[in-house]
Amino acid sequence: MSGCDYVLSFNSVGKSFRSGQSDIQALKNVSLQIAAGETVALVGPSGSGKSTLLSLGAGLELPDTGTIVLDGNELSSLNEDDRSILRNRVIGFVYQNFQLLPTFTALENVALPLEILGGARFSSIRRRALSALEEVGLSARIDHYPAQLSGGEQQRVAVARALVTHPKLILADEPTGNLDRANTQTVLSLMRELSSRHGASVVLVTHDEEVAATMGRKVQLRDGILT
Ligand code: ADP
Ligand code: MG
């Protein structure tokens, strides 16, 4: 489904949440285009709408107004099942708190997106998951459960899981927020290196100006408005 210039575009997007008696306008008339291979830092104070923007881009939620086009598909025109199929095919999501399955080993966590994609043999899924874990330097930890891994190692597993399908777009919501300086550098350089090797676009939410400066472009949200 290509032929479109952007892997993801937000066109005059508005999103509000009901909170008690009032509505919170989390995003106001946001337009943003992410080109193929582009790396974008998304910065802004807490509560400015960064996570909401990523959730909408991934089709986890739908906008109230405006349109969002992911890999040529207008998200509001798809049902929930089709959005999750599209998400799993196009996007690798890296969460701040890793979101690894605790009863799955590192290898099983990384294999999961490939199993959901379907159409591949177990042996091929295992080979690709092993190779993704090797790329993040965790070949020696494949049979460890998340609780047996350090925070930095868990986040590297989460990066391997996000990249194992070779997504066109990596969405990362403060992926280094819980990591120390050394692990932050490791995880970021991995994401950059793997994205440039596979030609993926990246949208990275960060509070860290130094981290933002390593991305190709920086966009800022303030009270739901993109500046
Ligand atoms: P950020 O990631 O920049 O900290 P968020 O996108 O999480 O900001 O939130 C933006 C605004 O929307 C905040 O005021 C937040 O409280 C509100 N919000 C986000 N998600 C929900 C929700 N599910 N229900 C109610 N309010 C929400
Ligand atoms: Mg957030």
Side-chain angles (χ1 to χ4, degrees):
M1 259 294 215
S2 47
C4 61
D5 300 317
Y6 300 114
V7 62
L8 178 62
S9 69
F10 298 86
N11 310 294
S12 308
V13 165
K15 177 72 179 174
S16 56
F17 295 105
R18 189 101 199 123
S19 166
Q21 300 291 20
S22 59
D23 275 337
I24 293 173
Q25 268 242 276
L27 293 174
K28 299 166 191 159
N29 199 33
V30 168
S31 293
L32 174 67
Q33 280 77 36
I34 311 294
E38 188 180 24
T39 62
V40 178
L42 175 58
V43 302
S46 180
S48 59
K50 305 182 298 296
S51 295
T52 302
L53 192 66
L54 289 202
S55 301
L56 288 169
L60 294 165
E61 301 187 68
L62 291 175
D64 302 325
T65 57
T67 59
I68 300 170
V69 180
L70 174 62
D71 197 31
N73 301 272
E74 211 259 276
L75 292 177
S76 293
S77 73
L78 303 178
N79 66 31
E80 200 167 339
D81 284 351
D82 288 339
R83 290 202 306 276
S84 69
I85 292 166
L86 179 67
R87 179 187 318 125
N88 192 54
R89 183 167 62 73
V90 176
I91 291 179
F93 212 117
V94 187
Y95 302 87
Q96 175 168 19
N97 51 1
F98 321 137
Q99 304 242 7
L100 299 174
L101 297 176
T103 60
F104 279 36
T105 64
L107 185 67
E108 289 164 348
N109 268 285
V110 174
L112 193 58
L114 294 172
E115 281 160 13
I116 294 169
L117 271 182
R121 288 167 168 280
F122 176 73
S123 57
S124 135
I125 288 177
R126 184 181 158 82
R127 186 170 36 73
R128 288 171 65 184
L130 282 171
S131 136
L133 280 164
E134 192 180 338
E135 285 189 285
V136 300
L138 286 179
S139 298
R141 299 282 187 280
I142 61 170
D143 292 324
H144 284 54
Y145 290 91
Q148 301 171 319
L149 298 168
S150 72
E153 288 170 338
Q154 288 182 57
Q155 194 55 299
R156 278 146 67 195
V157 174
V159 169
R161 179 185 57 184
L163 293 164
V164 72
T165 56
H166 295 175
K168 288 186 184 175
L169 174 64
I170 298 163
L171 299 178
D173 197 351
E174 303 190 55
T176 62
N178 293 323
L179 304 182
D180 62 26
R181 205 81 213 158
N183 271 310
T184 295
Q185 290 311 327
T186 308
V187 164
L188 286 173
S189 53
L190 267 171
M191 280 186 18
R192 266 201 305 278
E193 183 193 322
L194 299 181
S195 82
S196 74
R197 192 177 325 148
H198 301 301
S201 311
V202 180
V203 181
L204 171 77
V205 172
T206 182
H207 281 304
D208 187 328
E209 285 296 332
E210 257 180 67
V211 167
T214 66
M215 305 296 279
R217 176 158 67 113
K218 183 171 97 172
V219 296
Q220 180 148 20
L221 268 173
R222 192 167 283 277
D223 290 333
I225 297 167
L226 203 68
T227 58

